[in-house]
DNA sequence: CGGTTTTGACCGGCGC
DNA sequence: GCGCCGGTCAAAACCG
């Protein structure tokens, strides 16, 4: 069940669905998810109880900044043994924020550079979910992008963690600045 | 060539 | 204990 009211920030790109397409021209090469197979899930809109956690944000806890510590990269990636504890012994939850956006494209550029590290089929949803990680060194911020099956025009982006570095993108255009404002105004 | 995407394997948690 | 499921890894392919 959902705990405490979910923090769902939904804003519509008022007018230009192509907004993100423009900005992200640099690495907009993700070849969409159109070609995905069938897997006819059509029960609910796509949110199961399990998924519900994504839409609640325990940010009251640490948005203050404490959790950012992980940015230091506590992951002991030893060149030799990679299979060491992949799961950090982290007890505190990272803040997660779900954004819902109307957009034709999957790539919503927020000014950061992301590297895709996974893609999985979503239950009750014919579209897969994409997992991205911030490429900045020491920044463990992750995000996952998902599209609603029954409403292909809606893209849900869930951010996890807080960036420990400034945006590196050229902010010389209005759209990107707007995007940043939307992100920071939580 | 170096960074990124692709994609199946793998892993931990959870329910039965 | 087993199998499902969501999330992550990693090697190879890919691309500018």
């Amino acid at each position: 069940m959902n705990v405490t009211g979910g923090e769902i920030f939904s804003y519509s790109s008022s007018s230009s669905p192509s907004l993100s397409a423009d900005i992200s021209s640099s690495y907009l090469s993700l070849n969409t998810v159109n070609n995905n197979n069938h897997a006819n899930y059509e029960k609910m809109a796509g949110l199961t109880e399990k998924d519900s956690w994504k839409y609640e944000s325990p940010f009251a806890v640490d948005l203050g900044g404490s959790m950012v510590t992980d940015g230091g990269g506590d992951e002991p990636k030893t060149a030799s043994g990679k299979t060491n504890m992949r799961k950090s012994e982290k007890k505190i939850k990272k803040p997660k924020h779900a954004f819902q956006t109307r957009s034709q494209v999957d790539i919503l550029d927020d000014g950061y550079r992301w590297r895709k590290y996974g893609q999985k089929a979503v239950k009750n949803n014919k579209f897969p979910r994409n997992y991205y990680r911030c490429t900045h060194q020491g920044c463990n911020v992750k995000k996952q992008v998902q599209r609603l099956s029954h409403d292909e025009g809606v893209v849900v982006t869930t951010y996890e963690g807080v960036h420990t570095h400034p945006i590196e993108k050229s902010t010389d255009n209005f759209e990107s600045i707007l995007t940043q404002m939307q992100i920071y105004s939580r």
Side-chain angles (χ1 to χ4, degrees):
Chain A
M1 300 65 166
N2 49 6
V3 194
T4 58
E7 272 287 331
I8 303 176
F9 299 85
S10 57
Y11 57 86
S12 55
S13 8
S14 43
S15 52
S16 55
S18 58
L19 163 147
S20 33
D22 287 338
I23 306 173
S24 62
S25 55
S26 59
Y27 64 105
L28 164 88
S29 56
L30 187 102
N31 59 347
T32 65
V33 284
N34 286 339
N35 62 347
N36 75 339
N37 34 27
H38 37 294
N40 50 357
Y41 310 104
E42 292 184 338
K43 278 293 194 168
M44 319 176 151
L47 304 184
T48 61
E49 292 184 4
K50 267 187 183 171
D51 290 337
S52 65
W53 67 264
K54 295 189 187 67
Y55 305 99
E56 59 142 343
S57 65
F59 68 115
V61 187
D62 44 13
L63 248 200
S66 47
M67 56 69 64
V68 183
T69 56
D70 59 0
D74 50 342
E75 283 198 75
K77 286 192 172 177
T78 57
S80 53
K82 55 188 177 182
T83 38
N84 49 11
M85 39 114 62
R86 74 215 16 241
K87 225 31 194 176
S88 55
E89 63 284 355
K90 210 170 298 289
K91 308 152 173 93
I92 56 177
K93 303 166 189 167
K94 295 182 190 171
K96 301 183 176 82
H97 302 285
F99 292 81
Q100 210 170 131
T101 309
R102 281 208 89 84
S103 173
Q104 302 292 337
V105 296
D106 291 336
I107 317 300
L108 281 66
D109 195 34
D110 45 21
Y112 291 98
R113 299 298 290 263
W114 302 93
R115 182 180 73 257
K116 184 175 182 176
Y117 69 88
Q119 172 174 336
K120 285 291 275 191
V122 184
K123 221 172 184 179
N124 301 330
N125 192 339
K126 49 186 177 184
F127 299 104
R129 173 185 298 150
N130 295 299
Y131 299 90
Y132 300 90
R133 186 178 300 235
C134 184
T135 60
H136 193 91
Q137 204 256 319
C139 186
N140 296 357
V141 178
K142 288 178 272 189
K143 81 170 179 181
Q144 42 185 254
V145 180
Q146 173 178 13
R147 185 176 285 276
L148 297 186
S149 61
H150 72 292
D151 191 355
E152 78 155 54
V154 175
V155 173
V156 179
T157 304
T158 305
Y159 290 88
E160 174 177 341
V162 176
H163 291 282
T164 62
H165 57 97
I167 293 179
E168 51 192 65
K169 207 148 198 193
S170 65
T171 56
D172 56 356
N173 93 23
F174 279 121
E175 309 270 272
S176 69
I177 293 176
L178 264 179
T179 303
Q180 292 178 44
M181 288 173 62
Q182 287 166 345
I183 290 173
Y184 284 133
S185 66
R186 33 156 160 79

